[in-house]
Amino acid sequence: MGSQLNTSVPTRLPGGKNSTAEKLLVAASELMIERASIEVSLSDIAQKSGVNAALVKYHFGNKDGLLLALLARDAATEMTQLEYLISQPIQPTAKLRLHIGGIIRAYHQFPYMNRLIHYLLHESTPDAADEVSKFFVAPLLDFQRRLLAEGVKADEFRDIDPVMFYTSLVGACDHLFFGRHAMSRATGVGPVTDEVCRQYIKHMEALICGGLLKANNEKGSAAAG
Amino acid sequence: MGSQLNTSVPTRLPGGKNSTAEKLLVAASELMIERASIEVSLSDIAQKSGVNAALVKYHFGNKDGLLLALLARDAATEMTQLEYLISQPIQPTAKLRLHIGGIIRAYHQFPYMNRLIHYLLHESTPDAADEVSKFFVAPLLDFQRRLLAEGVKADEFRDIDPVMFYTSLVGACDHLFFGRHAMSRATGVGPVTDEVCRQYIKHMEALICGGLLKANNEKGSAAAG
């Protein structure tokens, strides 16, 4: 594979650099969704995209570079939506509910996102981990920090530590996708279908807004709904 | 390594089978805590325990067998505590608070638990995954199911889906340990010290019981505290 990368330069580029890079990202993303795994080889990606494997090196340096670019692409889409959301003229509680649904839908749409994040943070290079922190963790945390401040200012939220809030909300959303496998083995719980996703969004909205205790929940539903 | 396993049978066993197996588990656990990683080799475990590496095969079959036994050992301790907790003559809300603290403290005490669970569920054999589901996921889910039913019966909890509750609570607790690394890179958030652990327990108790909305929280604190 190493020598192949340096010898076979493709002669046909269907549409220039960006189009080629984009094709590789689309192919990688589709393969990961099909296989429900981030274990895809460069040659599989090349084959699916119709792009020569040598161009991965040209565009992304190596496979981890491609994975990083894929996550960056998806994260950028999400962050744009967060900026749009926070600028809306609606109550902080309504923004929070939309945000919860947004996270869960993003993970459902891109189930490999979780795994890429864990892989690039824990098993790749320190540089890759720094990049993921910069384009994913930091802006998401920053968004939540602003939303929480807005909610406190509007007297809708109690004062809560943003880092702890981030940890619990993102962790709980992650786990629907990361932990589901184990639960289905243990209890006959089914896979994460669109319907399960919708139910989990409702569950998380209710839990984050109003908690589990009955007295709170009744008040919470009234206040929020 | 393979041939070594079949040739060097140890002549000295300091205390019989169980003691040897226990020593290997203790050594594996200590190494994982020291390194904050489950990447420990059989020879490292053997060296630290003073036990011949060949005995790993004898007691556990292979390295994944040892990892499974280690997780089973720790899970058994936790499950005993859960049975003790649910039998206590205290309110369901009080049990829930103790349970939240128990999960977070268990992960803090055994930070490798998370990673072992993920590894054995996703990267080892289907048999290993089934075992983890049986001795870890299923009893924990069963405990929460009973606790939730008790809370509903006592009119303290609203009716909530146990599988979804499990997913969000365990996910949020997991993430303090699994996701912290990323957050420290992004924002200068420090490591999970004893103090961070205590704060997260308080945070999770408040969030799970009363949620984020201010009206709820005031009522929640009054009802729960």
Side-chain angles (χ1 to χ4, degrees):
Chain A
M1 174 67 99
S3 63
Q4 224 184 339
L5 283 173
N6 297 323
T7 52
S8 59
V9 176
T11 53
R12 195 170 54 89
L13 289 179
K17 272 188 201 181
N18 291 337
S19 160
T20 307
E22 179 61 24
K23 273 191 184 180
L24 287 165
L25 295 182
V26 168
S29 143
E30 286 176 357
L31 279 174
M32 287 177 189
I33 291 172
E34 280 167 30
R35 298 186 188 172
S37 165
I38 62 167
E39 299 295 327
V40 296
S41 73
L42 285 186
S43 56
D44 288 346
I45 295 169
Q47 196 179 0
K48 188 169 180 89
S49 64
V51 169
N52 191 299
L55 284 175
V56 173
K57 197 179 172 112
Y58 177 71
H59 286 292
F60 303 111
N62 54 30
K63 186 177 159 188
D64 279 12
L66 184 145
L67 298 181
L68 198 59
L70 176 60
L71 187 60
R73 183 197 71 168
D74 296 343
T77 308
E78 298 307 318
M79 297 315 154
T80 305
Q81 290 174 358
L82 291 184
E83 286 310 314
Y84 177 77
L85 174 58
I86 207 152
S87 72
Q88 293 303 296
I90 54 176
Q91 295 296 96
T93 301
K95 289 181 190 176
L96 176 67
R97 286 172 180 271
L98 290 169
H99 177 48
I100 292 169
I103 298 177
I104 295 171
R105 275 189 214 95
Y107 280 139
H108 187 50
Q109 195 184 348
F110 304 113
Y112 55 80
M113 229 193 221
N114 265 311
R115 288 168 194 243
L116 278 185
I117 290 167
H118 288 301
Y119 170 74
L120 291 167
L121 283 171
H122 297 289
E123 296 166 49
S124 183
T125 63
D127 281 355
D130 282 340
E131 283 299 308
V132 174
S133 297
K134 267 182 222 153
F135 69 64
F136 189 88
V137 182
L140 184 52
L141 181 54
D142 179 60
F143 164 82
Q144 292 185 356
R145 202 185 288 275
R146 285 181 287 153
L147 176 56
L148 291 172
E150 213 178 89
V152 168
K153 202 174 161 198
D155 208 32
E156 292 182 23
F157 302 166
R158 61 185 171 85
D159 203 358
I160 193 169
D161 180 80
V163 172
M164 298 214 167
F165 182 77
Y166 172 102
T167 305
S168 43
L169 176 58
V170 172
C173 294
D174 266 20
H175 211 65
L176 178 63
F177 302 93
F178 221 72
R180 192 78 177 185
H181 194 54
M183 298 175 69
S184 64
R185 284 180 182 274
T187 61
V189 172
V192 181
T193 59
D194 290 352
E195 179 54 26
V196 167
C197 227
R198 272 192 293 274
Q199 287 170 1
Y200 199 64
I201 290 170
K202 279 181 69 179
H203 160 81
M204 283 300 295
E205 282 181 10
L207 191 66
I208 294 289
C209 290
L212 174 67
L213 297 196
K214 209 172 173 190
N216 311 334
N217 183 51
E218 278 160 5
K219 185 111 179 213
S221 302
Chain B
M1 173 68 98
S3 62
Q4 224 184 340
L5 283 172
N6 297 324
T7 52
S8 60
V9 176
T11 52
R12 194 170 53 89
L13 290 177
K17 273 189 202 181
N18 292 337
S19 159
T20 307
E22 180 60 25
K23 273 190 185 180
L24 286 165
L25 295 181
V26 168
S29 142
E30 287 176 357
L31 278 174
M32 287 176 189
I33 291 171
E34 282 168 28
R35 297 186 188 172
S37 166
I38 62 167
E39 299 294 327
V40 297
S41 72
L42 285 185
S43 57
D44 288 346
I45 296 169
Q47 195 178 2
K48 188 170 180 89
S49 64
V51 169
N52 191 299
L55 284 175
V56 173
K57 198 181 171 108
Y58 177 72
H59 287 292
F60 303 111
N62 54 30
K63 187 178 158 188
D64 279 11
L66 183 145
L67 298 181
L68 197 59
L70 176 60
L71 187 60
R73 182 197 73 167
D74 296 343
T77 308
E78 297 307 318
M79 298 315 154
T80 305
Q81 290 175 358
L82 291 184
E83 287 309 315
Y84 177 77
L85 174 59
I86 206 152
S87 72
Q88 293 303 295
I90 54 175
Q91 295 296 97
T93 301
K95 290 181 190 177
L96 176 67
R97 287 172 180 273
L98 289 169
H99 177 48
I100 292 170
I103 297 177
I104 295 171
R105 274 189 215 94
Y107 280 140
H108 187 49
Q109 194 184 347
F110 304 113
Y112 56 81
M113 229 193 222
N114 264 311
R115 288 169 195 242
L116 277 185
I117 290 168
H118 287 301
Y119 170 74
L120 291 167
L121 284 172
H122 298 289
E123 296 166 49
S124 184
T125 63
D127 282 356
D130 282 340
E131 283 299 307
V132 174
S133 296
K134 267 182 221 150
F135 69 64
F136 189 88
V137 182
L140 184 53
L141 181 54
D142 180 61
F143 163 82
Q144 292 184 357
R145 204 184 288 275
R146 286 181 285 152
L147 176 56
L148 291 172
E150 212 179 271
V152 169
K153 201 174 160 198
D155 207 32
E156 292 181 24
F157 302 166
R158 62 186 170 84
D159 203 359
I160 193 170
D161 181 79
V163 172
M164 299 213 168
F165 182 76
Y166 173 101
T167 305
S168 43
L169 177 57
V170 171
C173 294
D174 266 21
H175 211 65
L176 178 63
F177 302 94
F178 222 73
R180 193 76 176 185
H181 194 53
M183 298 175 70
S184 65
R185 284 180 182 275
T187 62
V189 172
V192 181
T193 59
D194 290 353
E195 179 55 25
V196 167
C197 226
R198 272 192 294 273
Q199 286 170 1
Y200 199 65
I201 290 170
K202 278 181 69 179
H203 159 81
M204 283 300 294
E205 282 181 11
L207 191 67
I208 294 288
C209 289
L212 173 67
L213 297 196
K214 208 174 174 190
N216 312 332
N217 183 51
E218 278 161 5
K219 185 112 180 213
S221 302

